[in-house]
Amino acid sequence: GESVGLHLPTLSVQEGDNSIINCAYSNSASDYFIWYKQESGKGPQFIIDIRSNMDKRQGQRVTVLLNKTVKHLSLQIAATQPGDSAVYFCAENRGRSSYKLIFGSGTRLLVRP
Amino acid sequence: KAGVTQTPRYLIKTRGQQVTLSCSPISGHRSVSWYQQTPGQGLQFLFEYFSETQRNKGNFPGRFSGRQFSNSRSEMNVSTLELGDSALYLCASSSDRVSSPLHFGNGTRLTVT
């Protein structure tokens, strides 16, 4: 079926530590993946994306890893800050030459001072 | 560049009524998508429009409809509202290239009483 799942619903980390948020997807034909951050009262904010022809992509303090063999996606946040506290969603595009994002259920990241 | 703008921000309607939500995409973006977000079902895809044509549709009843205008602005309509339609409705836009990220607005919070 169509599902993108997350292994942990809540992740609590110490400020300054690295955070890793995981995601499993089910459609091996999906070729585009996006991570979003959502703060209370706001819409999802784009963080980083990756295409299926890549294994890793880095941004500012964030890295996305894609393992197509086991259909697993992860988001790594370096030196986690209080401002990183939010809900994080992975999304898989099921559209063909179009957009149809299937979202995971989300992981709440709590950063302890 | 202005982001995705959704109006109104909040709406309260009663069962049986209909509602129209509006979305202005980022300038230059021709793809507009709509998503429903609820605590129970998470983020679910409604439909996607590109150049006034619906390219993709999610698994929602026919009471949910949308359209896109020649200036890429989009509206979605929900007729015969039900209590379960209470949700945050999010609009997202993207450029022509699939595998470029969707950027979301802050949504319209619809409450059906």
Side-chain angles (χ1 to χ4, degrees), chain A residues 4-13 19-24 35-39 47 73 75 77 84-90 103-110, chain B residues 43:
Chain A
V4 177
L6 289 171
H7 295 172
L8 295 172
T10 302
L11 177 65
S12 180
V13 301
S19 303
I20 299 176
I21 301 172
N22 295 304
C23 177
W35 280 100
Y36 287 95
K37 169 187 180 183
Q38 188 173 27
E39 297 173 292
I47 301 173
L73 198 65
L75 176 70
I77 304 174
D84 295 327
S85 293
V87 177
Y88 289 79
F89 295 96
C90 64
F103 282 84
S105 56
T107 292
R108 181 173 299 280
L109 177 65
L110 300 175
Chain B
L43 280 151

PDB file of all heavy atoms in Angstrom, chain A residues 4-13 19-24 35-39 47 73 75 77 84-90 103-110, chain B residues 43:
ATOM      1  N   VAL A   4       4.453   5.825   4.020  1.00  0.00           N
ATOM      2  CA  VAL A   4       5.809   6.213   4.375  1.00  0.00           C
ATOM      3  C   VAL A   4       5.811   6.305   5.885  1.00  0.00           C
ATOM      4  O   VAL A   4       5.103   7.118   6.451  1.00  0.00           O
ATOM      5  CB  VAL A   4       6.194   7.563   3.743  1.00  0.00           C
ATOM      6  CG1 VAL A   4       7.582   7.972   4.193  1.00  0.00           C
ATOM      7  CG2 VAL A   4       6.138   7.457   2.243  1.00  0.00           C
ATOM      8  N   GLY A   5       6.569   5.485   6.547  1.00  0.00           N
ATOM      9  CA  GLY A   5       6.471   5.434   8.004  1.00  0.00           C
ATOM     10  C   GLY A   5       7.704   5.954   8.685  1.00  0.00           C
ATOM     11  O   GLY A   5       8.752   6.123   8.096  1.00  0.00           O
ATOM     12  N   LEU A   6       7.598   6.258   9.931  1.00  0.00           N
ATOM     13  CA  LEU A   6       8.708   6.717  10.747  1.00  0.00           C
ATOM     14  C   LEU A   6       8.898   5.748  11.893  1.00  0.00           C
ATOM     15  O   LEU A   6       7.953   5.178  12.404  1.00  0.00           O
ATOM     16  CB  LEU A   6       8.437   8.118  11.291  1.00  0.00           C
ATOM     17  CG  LEU A   6       8.482   9.241  10.260  1.00  0.00           C
ATOM     18  CD1 LEU A   6       7.979  10.517  10.856  1.00  0.00           C
ATOM     19  CD2 LEU A   6       9.884   9.434   9.732  1.00  0.00           C
ATOM     20  N   HIS A   7      10.180   5.533  12.291  1.00  0.00           N
ATOM     21  CA  HIS A   7      10.455   4.557  13.322  1.00  0.00           C
ATOM     22  C   HIS A   7      10.147   5.095  14.713  1.00  0.00           C
ATOM     23  O   HIS A   7       9.777   4.332  15.586  1.00  0.00           O
ATOM     24  CB  HIS A   7      11.912   4.125  13.244  1.00  0.00           C
ATOM     25  CG  HIS A   7      12.213   3.397  11.962  1.00  0.00           C
ATOM     26  ND1 HIS A   7      13.486   3.056  11.587  1.00  0.00           N
ATOM     27  CD2 HIS A   7      11.409   2.969  10.980  1.00  0.00           C
ATOM     28  CE1 HIS A   7      13.431   2.422  10.433  1.00  0.00           C
ATOM     29  NE2 HIS A   7      12.203   2.355  10.041  1.00  0.00           N
ATOM     30  N   LEU A   8      10.349   6.402  14.946  1.00  0.00           N
ATOM     31  CA  LEU A   8      10.168   6.963  16.263  1.00  0.00           C
ATOM     32  C   LEU A   8       9.245   8.158  16.195  1.00  0.00           C
ATOM     33  O   LEU A   8       9.485   9.094  15.464  1.00  0.00           O
ATOM     34  CB  LEU A   8      11.514   7.416  16.844  1.00  0.00           C
ATOM     35  CG  LEU A   8      12.551   6.340  17.127  1.00  0.00           C
ATOM     36  CD1 LEU A   8      13.877   6.973  17.519  1.00  0.00           C
ATOM     37  CD2 LEU A   8      12.079   5.421  18.244  1.00  0.00           C
ATOM     38  N   PRO A   9       8.205   8.199  17.005  1.00  0.00           N
ATOM     39  CA  PRO A   9       7.320   9.359  16.992  1.00  0.00           C
ATOM     40  C   PRO A   9       7.890  10.583  17.690  1.00  0.00           C
ATOM     41  O   PRO A   9       7.566  11.683  17.341  1.00  0.00           O
ATOM     42  CB  PRO A   9       6.079   8.850  17.723  1.00  0.00           C
ATOM     43  CG  PRO A   9       6.580   7.757  18.604  1.00  0.00           C
ATOM     44  CD  PRO A   9       7.708   7.120  17.872  1.00  0.00           C
ATOM     45  N   THR A  10       8.749  10.405  18.704  1.00  0.00           N
ATOM     46  CA  THR A  10       9.336  11.521  19.440  1.00  0.00           C
ATOM     47  C   THR A  10      10.813  11.257  19.667  1.00  0.00           C
ATOM     48  O   THR A  10      11.201  10.167  20.033  1.00  0.00           O
ATOM     49  CB  THR A  10       8.642  11.710  20.803  1.00  0.00           C
ATOM     50  OG1 THR A  10       7.257  11.924  20.591  1.00  0.00           O
ATOM     51  CG2 THR A  10       9.229  12.905  21.529  1.00  0.00           C
ATOM     52  N   LEU A  11      11.620  12.268  19.430  1.00  0.00           N
ATOM     53  CA  LEU A  11      13.049  12.183  19.646  1.00  0.00           C
ATOM     54  C   LEU A  11      13.487  13.360  20.509  1.00  0.00           C
ATOM     55  O   LEU A  11      13.237  14.508  20.165  1.00  0.00           O
ATOM     56  CB  LEU A  11      13.787  12.219  18.298  1.00  0.00           C
ATOM     57  CG  LEU A  11      15.309  12.221  18.341  1.00  0.00           C
ATOM     58  CD1 LEU A  11      15.808  10.907  18.923  1.00  0.00           C
ATOM     59  CD2 LEU A  11      15.886  12.449  16.947  1.00  0.00           C
ATOM     60  N   SER A  12      14.116  13.055  21.641  1.00  0.00           N
ATOM     61  CA  SER A  12      14.605  14.089  22.546  1.00  0.00           C
ATOM     62  C   SER A  12      16.123  14.076  22.538  1.00  0.00           C
ATOM     63  O   SER A  12      16.733  13.033  22.758  1.00  0.00           O
ATOM     64  CB  SER A  12      14.078  13.829  23.960  1.00  0.00           C
ATOM     65  OG  SER A  12      14.536  14.828  24.852  1.00  0.00           O
ATOM     66  N   VAL A  13      16.728  15.231  22.261  1.00  0.00           N
ATOM     67  CA  VAL A  13      18.186  15.312  22.187  1.00  0.00           C
ATOM     68  C   VAL A  13      18.680  16.507  22.982  1.00  0.00           C
ATOM     69  O   VAL A  13      17.946  17.481  23.197  1.00  0.00           O
ATOM     70  CB  VAL A  13      18.687  15.415  20.736  1.00  0.00           C
ATOM     71  CG1 VAL A  13      18.256  14.217  19.918  1.00  0.00           C
ATOM     72  CG2 VAL A  13      18.228  16.705  20.090  1.00  0.00           C
ATOM     73  N   SER A  19      21.255  14.887  15.724  1.00  0.00           N
ATOM     74  CA  SER A  19      19.965  14.202  15.705  1.00  0.00           C
ATOM     75  C   SER A  19      19.860  13.370  14.434  1.00  0.00           C
ATOM     76  O   SER A  19      20.335  13.783  13.377  1.00  0.00           O
ATOM     77  CB  SER A  19      18.814  15.216  15.717  1.00  0.00           C
ATOM     78  OG  SER A  19      18.891  16.072  16.827  1.00  0.00           O
ATOM     79  N   ILE A  20      19.239  12.220  14.572  1.00  0.00           N
ATOM     80  CA  ILE A  20      18.979  11.389  13.391  1.00  0.00           C
ATOM     81  C   ILE A  20      17.513  10.985  13.409  1.00  0.00           C
ATOM     82  O   ILE A  20      17.027  10.393  14.375  1.00  0.00           O
ATOM     83  CB  ILE A  20      19.854  10.121  13.382  1.00  0.00           C
ATOM     84  CG1 ILE A  20      21.338  10.494  13.339  1.00  0.00           C
ATOM     85  CG2 ILE A  20      19.496   9.250  12.174  1.00  0.00           C
ATOM     86  CD1 ILE A  20      22.271   9.306  13.420  1.00  0.00           C
ATOM     87  N   ILE A  21      16.815  11.334  12.351  1.00  0.00           N
ATOM     88  CA  ILE A  21      15.399  10.990  12.206  1.00  0.00           C
ATOM     89  C   ILE A  21      15.282  10.017  11.044  1.00  0.00           C
ATOM     90  O   ILE A  21      15.808  10.279   9.954  1.00  0.00           O
ATOM     91  CB  ILE A  21      14.549  12.247  11.956  1.00  0.00           C
ATOM     92  CG1 ILE A  21      14.710  13.223  13.128  1.00  0.00           C
ATOM     93  CG2 ILE A  21      13.074  11.873  11.780  1.00  0.00           C
ATOM     94  CD1 ILE A  21      14.067  14.587  12.898  1.00  0.00           C
ATOM     95  N   ASN A  22      14.590   8.919  11.277  1.00  0.00           N
ATOM     96  CA  ASN A  22      14.507   7.865  10.276  1.00  0.00           C
ATOM     97  C   ASN A  22      13.142   7.784   9.624  1.00  0.00           C
ATOM     98  O   ASN A  22      12.132   8.207  10.187  1.00  0.00           O
ATOM     99  CB  ASN A  22      14.827   6.511  10.927  1.00  0.00           C
ATOM    100  CG  ASN A  22      16.241   6.438  11.422  1.00  0.00           C
ATOM    101  OD1 ASN A  22      17.183   6.648  10.656  1.00  0.00           O
ATOM    102  ND2 ASN A  22      16.415   6.176  12.708  1.00  0.00           N
ATOM    103  N   CYS A  23      13.122   7.174   8.453  1.00  0.00           N
ATOM    104  CA  CYS A  23      11.891   7.056   7.685  1.00  0.00           C
ATOM    105  C   CYS A  23      12.004   5.837   6.783  1.00  0.00           C
ATOM    106  O   CYS A  23      13.052   5.601   6.180  1.00  0.00           O
ATOM    107  CB  CYS A  23      11.701   8.335   6.863  1.00  0.00           C
ATOM    108  SG  CYS A  23      10.285   8.350   5.783  1.00  0.00           S
ATOM    109  N   ALA A  24      10.913   5.073   6.704  1.00  0.00           N
ATOM    110  CA  ALA A  24      10.858   3.946   5.780  1.00  0.00           C
ATOM    111  C   ALA A  24       9.806   4.242   4.719  1.00  0.00           C
ATOM    112  O   ALA A  24       8.772   4.834   5.013  1.00  0.00           O
ATOM    113  CB  ALA A  24      10.500   2.666   6.524  1.00  0.00           C
ATOM    114  N   TRP A  35      12.396  16.135   2.844  1.00  0.00           N
ATOM    115  CA  TRP A  35      12.202  16.306   4.283  1.00  0.00           C
ATOM    116  C   TRP A  35      11.647  17.702   4.545  1.00  0.00           C
ATOM    117  O   TRP A  35      12.127  18.692   3.982  1.00  0.00           O
ATOM    118  CB  TRP A  35      13.520  16.149   5.044  1.00  0.00           C
ATOM    119  CG  TRP A  35      13.920  14.726   5.265  1.00  0.00           C
ATOM    120  CD1 TRP A  35      14.829  14.003   4.543  1.00  0.00           C
ATOM    121  CD2 TRP A  35      13.446  13.854   6.294  1.00  0.00           C
ATOM    122  NE1 TRP A  35      14.946  12.734   5.060  1.00  0.00           N
ATOM    123  CE2 TRP A  35      14.107  12.616   6.144  1.00  0.00           C
ATOM    124  CE3 TRP A  35      12.530  13.999   7.345  1.00  0.00           C
ATOM    125  CZ2 TRP A  35      13.882  11.528   6.991  1.00  0.00           C
ATOM    126  CZ3 TRP A  35      12.303  12.912   8.192  1.00  0.00           C
ATOM    127  CH2 TRP A  35      12.976  11.696   8.011  1.00  0.00           C
ATOM    128  N   TYR A  36      10.641  17.724   5.442  1.00  0.00           N
ATOM    129  CA  TYR A  36      10.026  18.984   5.843  1.00  0.00           C
ATOM    130  C   TYR A  36      10.068  19.133   7.353  1.00  0.00           C
ATOM    131  O   TYR A  36      10.038  18.147   8.096  1.00  0.00           O
ATOM    132  CB  TYR A  36       8.563  19.049   5.398  1.00  0.00           C
ATOM    133  CG  TYR A  36       8.358  19.257   3.927  1.00  0.00           C
ATOM    134  CD1 TYR A  36       8.157  18.185   3.071  1.00  0.00           C
ATOM    135  CD2 TYR A  36       8.356  20.547   3.388  1.00  0.00           C
ATOM    136  CE1 TYR A  36       7.962  18.376   1.713  1.00  0.00           C
ATOM    137  CE2 TYR A  36       8.158  20.753   2.026  1.00  0.00           C
ATOM    138  CZ  TYR A  36       7.965  19.657   1.206  1.00  0.00           C
ATOM    139  OH  TYR A  36       7.773  19.863  -0.139  1.00  0.00           O
ATOM    140  N   LYS A  37      10.081  20.384   7.785  1.00  0.00           N
ATOM    141  CA  LYS A  37      10.005  20.744   9.200  1.00  0.00           C
ATOM    142  C   LYS A  37       8.729  21.551   9.390  1.00  0.00           C
ATOM    143  O   LYS A  37       8.459  22.473   8.613  1.00  0.00           O
ATOM    144  CB  LYS A  37      11.222  21.588   9.582  1.00  0.00           C
ATOM    145  CG  LYS A  37      11.163  22.242  10.938  1.00  0.00           C
ATOM    146  CD  LYS A  37      12.363  23.191  11.114  1.00  0.00           C
ATOM    147  CE  LYS A  37      12.354  23.883  12.456  1.00  0.00           C
ATOM    148  NZ  LYS A  37      13.475  24.862  12.593  1.00  0.00           N
ATOM    149  N   GLN A  38       7.954  21.193  10.395  1.00  0.00           N
ATOM    150  CA  GLN A  38       6.733  21.944  10.646  1.00  0.00           C
ATOM    151  C   GLN A  38       6.691  22.431  12.083  1.00  0.00           C
ATOM    152  O   GLN A  38       6.727  21.632  13.024  1.00  0.00           O
ATOM    153  CB  GLN A  38       5.486  21.108  10.346  1.00  0.00           C
ATOM    154  CG  GLN A  38       4.195  21.912  10.421  1.00  0.00           C
ATOM    155  CD  GLN A  38       2.973  21.144   9.972  1.00  0.00           C
ATOM    156  OE1 GLN A  38       2.928  19.917  10.054  1.00  0.00           O
ATOM    157  NE2 GLN A  38       1.961  21.840   9.469  1.00  0.00           N
ATOM    158  N   GLU A  39       6.592  23.722  12.237  1.00  0.00           N
ATOM    159  CA  GLU A  39       6.449  24.348  13.547  1.00  0.00           C
ATOM    160  C   GLU A  39       4.978  24.647  13.794  1.00  0.00           C
ATOM    161  O   GLU A  39       4.185  24.757  12.850  1.00  0.00           O
ATOM    162  CB  GLU A  39       7.288  25.622  13.615  1.00  0.00           C
ATOM    163  CG  GLU A  39       8.780  25.350  13.469  1.00  0.00           C
ATOM    164  CD  GLU A  39       9.599  26.615  13.367  1.00  0.00           C
ATOM    165  OE1 GLU A  39       9.478  27.315  12.349  1.00  0.00           O
ATOM    166  OE2 GLU A  39      10.374  26.898  14.308  1.00  0.00           O
ATOM    167  N   ILE A  47      13.255  21.389   3.921  1.00  0.00           N
ATOM    168  CA  ILE A  47      14.595  21.313   4.511  1.00  0.00           C
ATOM    169  C   ILE A  47      15.608  20.883   3.468  1.00  0.00           C
ATOM    170  O   ILE A  47      16.583  21.584   3.189  1.00  0.00           O
ATOM    171  CB  ILE A  47      14.647  20.302   5.674  1.00  0.00           C
ATOM    172  CG1 ILE A  47      13.660  20.671   6.772  1.00  0.00           C
ATOM    173  CG2 ILE A  47      16.061  20.236   6.256  1.00  0.00           C
ATOM    174  CD1 ILE A  47      13.565  19.612   7.852  1.00  0.00           C
ATOM    175  N   LEU A  73      15.210   6.100   4.582  1.00  0.00           N
ATOM    176  CA  LEU A  73      15.642   7.488   4.433  1.00  0.00           C
ATOM    177  C   LEU A  73      15.951   8.017   5.830  1.00  0.00           C
ATOM    178  O   LEU A  73      15.245   7.687   6.794  1.00  0.00           O
ATOM    179  CB  LEU A  73      14.474   8.275   3.838  1.00  0.00           C
ATOM    180  CG  LEU A  73      14.640   9.623   3.179  1.00  0.00           C
ATOM    181  CD1 LEU A  73      15.479   9.503   1.921  1.00  0.00           C
ATOM    182  CD2 LEU A  73      13.267  10.176   2.830  1.00  0.00           C
ATOM    183  N   LEU A  75      17.367  11.645   8.126  1.00  0.00           N
ATOM    184  CA  LEU A  75      17.752  13.055   8.182  1.00  0.00           C
ATOM    185  C   LEU A  75      18.669  13.225   9.383  1.00  0.00           C
ATOM    186  O   LEU A  75      18.288  12.872  10.506  1.00  0.00           O
ATOM    187  CB  LEU A  75      16.512  13.944   8.340  1.00  0.00           C
ATOM    188  CG  LEU A  75      16.790  15.443   8.505  1.00  0.00           C
ATOM    189  CD1 LEU A  75      17.311  16.038   7.192  1.00  0.00           C
ATOM    190  CD2 LEU A  75      15.536  16.182   8.969  1.00  0.00           C
ATOM    191  N   ILE A  77      20.769  15.955  11.621  1.00  0.00           N
ATOM    192  CA  ILE A  77      20.926  17.368  11.946  1.00  0.00           C
ATOM    193  C   ILE A  77      22.134  17.488  12.868  1.00  0.00           C
ATOM    194  O   ILE A  77      22.173  16.877  13.948  1.00  0.00           O
ATOM    195  CB  ILE A  77      19.665  17.929  12.643  1.00  0.00           C
ATOM    196  CG1 ILE A  77      18.423  17.701  11.785  1.00  0.00           C
ATOM    197  CG2 ILE A  77      19.843  19.426  12.943  1.00  0.00           C
ATOM    198  CD1 ILE A  77      17.122  18.090  12.475  1.00  0.00           C
ATOM    199  N   ASP A  84      15.576  24.034  16.345  1.00  0.00           N
ATOM    200  CA  ASP A  84      15.295  22.842  15.548  1.00  0.00           C
ATOM    201  C   ASP A  84      14.093  22.064  16.088  1.00  0.00           C
ATOM    202  O   ASP A  84      13.607  21.140  15.430  1.00  0.00           O
ATOM    203  CB  ASP A  84      16.510  21.914  15.507  1.00  0.00           C
ATOM    204  CG  ASP A  84      17.698  22.533  14.788  1.00  0.00           C
ATOM    205  OD1 ASP A  84      17.479  23.310  13.837  1.00  0.00           O
ATOM    206  OD2 ASP A  84      18.851  22.252  15.194  1.00  0.00           O
ATOM    207  N   SER A  85      13.632  22.424  17.263  1.00  0.00           N
ATOM    208  CA  SER A  85      12.471  21.743  17.847  1.00  0.00           C
ATOM    209  C   SER A  85      11.254  21.951  16.950  1.00  0.00           C
ATOM    210  O   SER A  85      10.862  23.086  16.660  1.00  0.00           O
ATOM    211  CB  SER A  85      12.179  22.288  19.245  1.00  0.00           C
ATOM    212  OG  SER A  85      13.202  21.954  20.150  1.00  0.00           O
ATOM    213  N   ALA A  86      10.686  20.853  16.497  1.00  0.00           N
ATOM    214  CA  ALA A  86       9.563  20.903  15.543  1.00  0.00           C
ATOM    215  C   ALA A  86       9.164  19.467  15.231  1.00  0.00           C
ATOM    216  O   ALA A  86       9.745  18.520  15.756  1.00  0.00           O
ATOM    217  CB  ALA A  86       9.969  21.613  14.260  1.00  0.00           C
ATOM    218  N   VAL A  87       8.182  19.323  14.359  1.00  0.00           N
ATOM    219  CA  VAL A  87       7.833  18.000  13.825  1.00  0.00           C
ATOM    220  C   VAL A  87       8.460  17.881  12.439  1.00  0.00           C
ATOM    221  O   VAL A  87       8.370  18.814  11.634  1.00  0.00           O
ATOM    222  CB  VAL A  87       6.308  17.811  13.742  1.00  0.00           C
ATOM    223  CG1 VAL A  87       5.982  16.460  13.112  1.00  0.00           C
ATOM    224  CG2 VAL A  87       5.685  17.915  15.124  1.00  0.00           C
ATOM    225  N   TYR A  88       9.088  16.758  12.190  1.00  0.00           N
ATOM    226  CA  TYR A  88       9.762  16.519  10.926  1.00  0.00           C
ATOM    227  C   TYR A  88       9.036  15.427  10.152  1.00  0.00           C
ATOM    228  O   TYR A  88       8.695  14.371  10.702  1.00  0.00           O
ATOM    229  CB  TYR A  88      11.225  16.128  11.170  1.00  0.00           C
ATOM    230  CG  TYR A  88      12.049  17.284  11.661  1.00  0.00           C
ATOM    231  CD1 TYR A  88      11.997  17.683  12.994  1.00  0.00           C
ATOM    232  CD2 TYR A  88      12.838  18.026  10.780  1.00  0.00           C
ATOM    233  CE1 TYR A  88      12.722  18.774  13.447  1.00  0.00           C
ATOM    234  CE2 TYR A  88      13.573  19.112  11.233  1.00  0.00           C
ATOM    235  CZ  TYR A  88      13.499  19.479  12.556  1.00  0.00           C
ATOM    236  OH  TYR A  88      14.212  20.578  13.000  1.00  0.00           O
ATOM    237  N   PHE A  89       8.800  15.698   8.884  1.00  0.00           N
ATOM    238  CA  PHE A  89       8.127  14.752   8.004  1.00  0.00           C
ATOM    239  C   PHE A  89       9.026  14.378   6.842  1.00  0.00           C
ATOM    240  O   PHE A  89       9.658  15.251   6.242  1.00  0.00           O
ATOM    241  CB  PHE A  89       6.852  15.366   7.405  1.00  0.00           C
ATOM    242  CG  PHE A  89       5.777  15.679   8.386  1.00  0.00           C
ATOM    243  CD1 PHE A  89       5.648  16.959   8.907  1.00  0.00           C
ATOM    244  CD2 PHE A  89       4.873  14.706   8.778  1.00  0.00           C
ATOM    245  CE1 PHE A  89       4.635  17.262   9.810  1.00  0.00           C
ATOM    246  CE2 PHE A  89       3.855  15.000   9.671  1.00  0.00           C
ATOM    247  CZ  PHE A  89       3.750  16.281  10.186  1.00  0.00           C
ATOM    248  N   CYS A  90       9.026  13.103   6.501  1.00  0.00           N
ATOM    249  CA  CYS A  90       9.601  12.716   5.219  1.00  0.00           C
ATOM    250  C   CYS A  90       8.441  12.566   4.240  1.00  0.00           C
ATOM    251  O   CYS A  90       7.302  12.307   4.632  1.00  0.00           O
ATOM    252  CB  CYS A  90      10.382  11.408   5.335  1.00  0.00           C
ATOM    253  SG  CYS A  90       9.392   9.976   5.778  1.00  0.00           S
ATOM    254  N   PHE A 103       3.214  11.415   2.711  1.00  0.00           N
ATOM    255  CA  PHE A 103       3.946  11.837   3.897  1.00  0.00           C
ATOM    256  C   PHE A 103       3.984  10.755   4.958  1.00  0.00           C
ATOM    257  O   PHE A 103       3.032   9.983   5.127  1.00  0.00           O
ATOM    258  CB  PHE A 103       3.298  13.079   4.511  1.00  0.00           C
ATOM    259  CG  PHE A 103       3.618  14.358   3.804  1.00  0.00           C
ATOM    260  CD1 PHE A 103       2.896  14.747   2.701  1.00  0.00           C
ATOM    261  CD2 PHE A 103       4.655  15.171   4.252  1.00  0.00           C
ATOM    262  CE1 PHE A 103       3.196  15.925   2.044  1.00  0.00           C
ATOM    263  CE2 PHE A 103       4.960  16.352   3.598  1.00  0.00           C
ATOM    264  CZ  PHE A 103       4.232  16.738   2.493  1.00  0.00           C
ATOM    265  N   GLY A 104       5.068  10.738   5.697  1.00  0.00           N
ATOM    266  CA  GLY A 104       5.140   9.940   6.900  1.00  0.00           C
ATOM    267  C   GLY A 104       4.323  10.589   8.011  1.00  0.00           C
ATOM    268  O   GLY A 104       3.832  11.707   7.867  1.00  0.00           O
ATOM    269  N   SER A 105       4.217   9.872   9.121  1.00  0.00           N
ATOM    270  CA  SER A 105       3.378  10.365  10.222  1.00  0.00           C
ATOM    271  C   SER A 105       4.069  11.449  11.042  1.00  0.00           C
ATOM    272  O   SER A 105       3.422  12.111  11.846  1.00  0.00           O
ATOM    273  CB  SER A 105       2.969   9.208  11.130  1.00  0.00           C
ATOM    274  OG  SER A 105       4.110   8.528  11.592  1.00  0.00           O
ATOM    275  N   GLY A 106       5.342  11.636  10.862  1.00  0.00           N
ATOM    276  CA  GLY A 106       6.058  12.712  11.534  1.00  0.00           C
ATOM    277  C   GLY A 106       6.803  12.268  12.777  1.00  0.00           C
ATOM    278  O   GLY A 106       6.393  11.343  13.473  1.00  0.00           O
ATOM    279  N   THR A 107       7.900  12.927  13.062  1.00  0.00           N
ATOM    280  CA  THR A 107       8.675  12.737  14.296  1.00  0.00           C
ATOM    281  C   THR A 107       8.809  14.078  14.976  1.00  0.00           C
ATOM    282  O   THR A 107       9.214  15.057  14.346  1.00  0.00           O
ATOM    283  CB  THR A 107      10.081  12.187  13.997  1.00  0.00           C
ATOM    284  OG1 THR A 107       9.972  10.854  13.497  1.00  0.00           O
ATOM    285  CG2 THR A 107      10.937  12.178  15.262  1.00  0.00           C
ATOM    286  N   ARG A 108       8.441  14.111  16.259  1.00  0.00           N
ATOM    287  CA  ARG A 108       8.607  15.355  17.010  1.00  0.00           C
ATOM    288  C   ARG A 108      10.004  15.379  17.603  1.00  0.00           C
ATOM    289  O   ARG A 108      10.396  14.458  18.324  1.00  0.00           O
ATOM    290  CB  ARG A 108       7.571  15.462  18.119  1.00  0.00           C
ATOM    291  CG  ARG A 108       7.692  16.753  18.924  1.00  0.00           C
ATOM    292  CD  ARG A 108       6.557  16.924  19.905  1.00  0.00           C
ATOM    293  NE  ARG A 108       5.268  16.992  19.239  1.00  0.00           N
ATOM    294  CZ  ARG A 108       4.788  18.084  18.656  1.00  0.00           C
ATOM    295  NH1 ARG A 108       5.493  19.211  18.665  1.00  0.00           N
ATOM    296  NH2 ARG A 108       3.602  18.070  18.084  1.00  0.00           N
ATOM    297  N   LEU A 109      10.754  16.400  17.286  1.00  0.00           N
ATOM    298  CA  LEU A 109      12.100  16.573  17.818  1.00  0.00           C
ATOM    299  C   LEU A 109      12.061  17.591  18.953  1.00  0.00           C
ATOM    300  O   LEU A 109      11.615  18.732  18.759  1.00  0.00           O
ATOM    301  CB  LEU A 109      13.062  17.048  16.714  1.00  0.00           C
ATOM    302  CG  LEU A 109      14.495  17.346  17.150  1.00  0.00           C
ATOM    303  CD1 LEU A 109      15.180  16.071  17.638  1.00  0.00           C
ATOM    304  CD2 LEU A 109      15.278  17.988  16.005  1.00  0.00           C
ATOM    305  N   LEU A 110      12.495  17.164  20.123  1.00  0.00           N
ATOM    306  CA  LEU A 110      12.578  18.053  21.291  1.00  0.00           C
ATOM    307  C   LEU A 110      14.041  18.261  21.630  1.00  0.00           C
ATOM    308  O   LEU A 110      14.795  17.289  21.790  1.00  0.00           O
ATOM    309  CB  LEU A 110      11.852  17.421  22.484  1.00  0.00           C
ATOM    310  CG  LEU A 110      10.365  17.132  22.294  1.00  0.00           C
ATOM    311  CD1 LEU A 110       9.802  16.406  23.513  1.00  0.00           C
ATOM    312  CD2 LEU A 110       9.603  18.420  22.049  1.00  0.00           C
TER     313      LEU A 110
ATOM    314  N   LEU B  43      -0.861  14.148   6.954  1.00  0.00           N
ATOM    315  CA  LEU B  43      -0.900  14.921   5.719  1.00  0.00           C
ATOM    316  C   LEU B  43      -1.317  14.024   4.567  1.00  0.00           C
ATOM    317  O   LEU B  43      -0.646  13.044   4.266  1.00  0.00           O
ATOM    318  CB  LEU B  43       0.485  15.514   5.418  1.00  0.00           C
ATOM    319  CG  LEU B  43       0.860  16.767   6.175  1.00  0.00           C
ATOM    320  CD1 LEU B  43       2.367  16.851   6.369  1.00  0.00           C
ATOM    321  CD2 LEU B  43       0.374  17.998   5.407  1.00  0.00           C
TER     322      LEU B  43
END
